[in-house]
Amino acid sequence: WLRACFAAPSRISMKLTLLLLTVVVAVAAATSSGDARVLLLQDMSDGRIRSPAACGSSMWWRNGKCYNQEGTQALAAMGLLAMLDFNARDGRFVSDFGTEAMRACNRTIDLAVADSEGTSIAAIKAIMASLQSTAPPHLAVGPGTSGMCADTALVAGTLGLPQ
Protein backbone atom coordinates (compact mmCIF):
# COMPACT_ATOMS: atom_id res chain seq x y z
CA TRP A 1 0.00 0.00 0.00
CA LEU A 2 2.96 2.34 0.44
CA ARG A 3 3.56 2.63 -3.29
CA ALA A 4 -0.10 3.55 -3.72
CA CYS A 5 0.18 6.29 -1.11
CA PHE A 6 3.42 7.97 -2.15
CA ALA A 7 4.67 8.83 -5.61
CA ALA A 8 7.97 10.64 -6.20
CA PRO A 9 7.84 13.86 -4.15
CA SER A 10 8.22 17.29 -5.71
CA ARG A 11 11.13 19.52 -4.68
CA ILE A 12 8.96 21.79 -2.51
CA SER A 13 7.23 19.03 -0.62
CA MET A 14 10.09 16.54 -0.33
CA LYS A 15 10.89 17.13 3.35
CA LEU A 16 7.26 17.02 4.44
CA THR A 17 6.53 14.01 2.25
CA LEU A 18 9.56 12.16 3.64
CA LEU A 19 8.48 12.96 7.20
CA LEU A 20 4.96 11.69 6.56
CA LEU A 21 6.31 8.66 4.71
CA THR A 22 8.48 7.84 7.73
CA VAL A 23 5.46 8.17 10.00
CA VAL A 24 3.24 6.01 7.80
CA VAL A 25 5.93 3.34 7.31
CA ALA A 26 6.59 3.12 11.04
CA VAL A 27 2.90 2.93 11.83
CA ALA A 28 2.31 0.33 9.12
CA ALA A 29 4.82 -1.87 10.91
CA ALA A 30 2.90 -1.43 14.16
CA THR A 31 -0.70 -1.74 12.99
CA SER A 32 -2.85 -3.28 10.32
CA SER A 33 -5.66 -0.72 10.66
CA GLY A 34 -6.22 2.17 8.28
CA ASP A 35 -5.57 4.88 10.86
CA ALA A 36 -2.10 5.79 12.03
CA ARG A 37 -2.23 7.34 15.51
CA VAL A 38 0.77 9.63 16.00
CA LEU A 39 1.82 11.61 19.08
CA LEU A 40 3.69 14.83 18.21
CA LEU A 41 5.77 16.06 21.16
CA GLN A 42 6.15 19.79 20.67
CA ASP A 43 7.80 22.37 22.95
CA MET A 44 4.93 24.83 23.20
CA SER A 45 5.83 26.08 26.67
CA ASP A 46 8.94 26.19 28.85
CA GLY A 47 8.40 24.01 31.92
CA ARG A 48 11.54 25.34 33.57
CA ILE A 49 10.00 28.80 34.03
CA ARG A 50 7.74 28.91 37.06
CA SER A 51 6.66 32.56 37.38
CA PRO A 52 5.23 35.33 35.18
CA ALA A 53 8.18 37.59 36.05
CA ALA A 54 10.67 35.07 34.66
CA CYS A 55 8.67 34.47 31.49
CA GLY A 56 10.39 37.12 29.34
CA SER A 57 9.11 39.68 26.87
CA SER A 58 9.08 37.42 23.80
CA MET A 59 6.97 34.78 25.58
CA TRP A 60 3.62 34.93 27.35
CA TRP A 61 2.25 33.61 30.64
CA ARG A 62 -1.12 31.80 30.56
CA ASN A 63 -2.72 29.26 32.88
CA GLY A 64 0.41 28.83 34.98
CA LYS A 65 2.75 28.22 32.03
CA CYS A 66 5.25 30.32 30.12
CA TYR A 67 4.47 29.78 26.42
CA ASN A 68 7.17 30.03 23.77
CA GLN A 69 7.30 32.45 20.88
CA GLU A 70 4.68 32.23 18.16
CA GLY A 71 7.14 30.59 15.74
CA THR A 72 7.34 27.56 18.01
CA GLN A 73 3.55 27.40 18.16
CA ALA A 74 3.45 27.49 14.36
CA LEU A 75 5.46 24.24 14.18
CA ALA A 76 2.68 22.35 15.96
CA ALA A 77 0.09 23.98 13.72
CA MET A 78 2.08 22.97 10.63
CA GLY A 79 2.04 19.35 11.75
CA LEU A 80 -1.72 19.48 12.25
CA LEU A 81 -2.29 21.16 8.89
CA ALA A 82 -0.10 18.61 7.11
CA MET A 83 -2.12 15.80 8.71
CA LEU A 84 -5.39 17.42 7.66
CA ASP A 85 -4.13 17.89 4.08
CA PHE A 86 -2.82 14.31 3.97
CA ASN A 87 -6.14 12.90 5.20
CA ALA A 88 -8.16 15.09 2.78
CA ARG A 89 -5.74 14.31 -0.08
CA ASP A 90 -5.51 18.06 -0.57
CA GLY A 91 -2.63 18.93 -2.91
CA ARG A 92 -2.75 22.75 -2.62
CA PHE A 93 0.39 22.97 -0.43
CA VAL A 94 1.96 19.52 -0.93
CA SER A 95 1.19 18.58 -4.52
CA ASP A 96 1.87 14.89 -3.87
CA PHE A 97 -1.15 14.73 -1.57
CA GLY A 98 -3.49 15.44 -4.50
CA THR A 99 -2.29 12.71 -6.87
CA GLU A 100 -4.48 9.87 -8.13
CA ALA A 101 -2.26 7.39 -6.30
CA MET A 102 -2.69 9.29 -3.06
CA ARG A 103 -6.47 9.46 -3.47
CA ALA A 104 -6.47 5.66 -3.82
CA CYS A 105 -4.61 5.31 -0.51
CA ASN A 106 -6.81 4.12 2.36
CA ARG A 107 -4.52 5.30 5.18
CA THR A 108 -5.17 8.29 7.40
CA ILE A 109 -3.16 9.94 10.16
CA ASP A 110 -4.69 10.79 13.53
CA LEU A 111 -2.29 13.30 15.10
CA ALA A 112 -2.29 14.28 18.77
CA VAL A 113 -0.06 17.16 19.88
CA ALA A 114 1.36 17.20 23.40
CA ASP A 115 3.32 19.99 25.05
CA SER A 116 6.70 18.57 26.05
CA GLU A 117 7.49 21.86 27.83
CA GLY A 118 11.15 21.72 26.78
CA THR A 119 11.92 19.10 29.45
CA SER A 120 12.44 15.35 29.35
CA ILE A 121 10.19 14.81 32.37
CA ALA A 122 7.22 16.60 30.76
CA ALA A 123 7.79 14.72 27.49
CA ILE A 124 7.89 11.37 29.33
CA LYS A 125 4.71 12.29 31.22
CA ALA A 126 3.04 13.12 27.88
CA ILE A 127 4.09 9.74 26.46
CA MET A 128 2.82 7.90 29.53
CA ALA A 129 -0.52 9.75 29.44
CA SER A 130 -0.97 9.04 25.72
CA LEU A 131 -0.26 5.33 26.20
CA GLN A 132 -2.93 5.16 28.90
CA SER A 133 -5.58 6.75 26.66
CA THR A 134 -8.37 4.79 24.99
CA ALA A 135 -6.63 5.22 21.61
CA PRO A 136 -2.87 5.10 22.31
CA PRO A 137 -0.46 6.20 19.58
CA HIS A 138 1.35 3.82 17.26
CA LEU A 139 4.30 6.21 17.04
CA ALA A 140 5.76 9.28 18.76
CA VAL A 141 7.51 12.11 16.87
CA GLY A 142 9.80 14.42 18.85
CA PRO A 143 10.59 16.00 21.21
CA GLY A 144 12.70 18.79 19.81
CA THR A 145 16.22 18.14 21.12
CA SER A 146 18.49 15.13 20.86
CA GLY A 147 19.01 15.09 24.63
CA MET A 148 15.30 14.93 25.28
CA CYS A 149 14.87 12.31 22.54
CA ALA A 150 17.49 10.09 24.18
CA ASP A 151 15.55 10.23 27.46
CA THR A 152 12.11 9.70 25.93
CA ALA A 153 13.27 7.01 23.49
CA LEU A 154 14.43 4.87 26.39
CA VAL A 155 11.00 5.05 28.01
CA ALA A 156 9.01 4.83 24.76
CA GLY A 157 11.08 1.91 23.48
CA THR A 158 10.72 0.03 26.76
CA LEU A 159 6.94 0.45 26.46
CA GLY A 160 6.89 -0.63 22.80
CA LEU A 161 6.22 2.80 21.27
CA PRO A 162 8.46 3.60 18.27
CA GLN A 163 9.88 7.11 18.33
Side-chain angles (χ1 to χ4, degrees):
W1 64 267
L2 286 174
R3 276 187 233 124
C5 290
F6 288 93
S10 65
R11 290 180 322 210
I12 296 172
S13 64
M14 184 175 277
K15 287 183 181 180
L16 183 55
T17 302
L18 289 175
L19 173 63
L20 288 173
L21 176 60
T22 302
V23 168
V24 174
V25 167
V27 171
T31 181
S32 60
S33 72
D35 292 328
R37 292 187 304 273
V38 178
L39 173 65
L40 174 61
L41 297 164
Q42 178 68 43
D43 296 345
M44 293 182 274
S45 67
D46 191 331
R48 299 165 296 181
I49 299 174
R50 305 277 184 205
S51 72
C55 194
S57 62
S58 64
M59 303 165 95
W60 68 95
W61 186 264
R62 293 246 165 80
N63 301 321
K65 286 186 175 183
C66 183
Y67 285 90
N68 293 327
Q69 298 173 353
E70 291 176 1
T72 305
Q73 304 293 324
L75 291 175
M78 286 172 27
L80 289 169
L81 289 172
M83 180 265 314
L84 290 171
D85 286 354
F86 175 85
N87 290 347
R89 307 307 189 251
D90 183 344
R92 286 180 294 170
F93 299 107
V94 179
S95 60
D96 300 314
F97 290 174
T99 64
E100 287 296 321
M102 184 63 83
R103 284 192 285 279
C105 177
N106 67 348
R107 299 289 181 166
T108 59
I109 298 172
D110 180 16
L111 185 69
V113 179
D115 183 6
S116 57
E117 300 180 17
T119 69
S120 295
I121 294 296
I124 289 168
K125 286 180 181 179
I127 288 171
M128 298 299 290
S130 71
L131 288 172
Q132 294 171 0
S133 72
T134 57
H138 298 111
L139 173 76
V141 176
T145 66
S146 57
M148 287 172 57
C149 282
D151 296 337
T152 57
L154 179 63
V155 173
T158 301
L159 297 172
L161 179 66
Q163 180 182 350

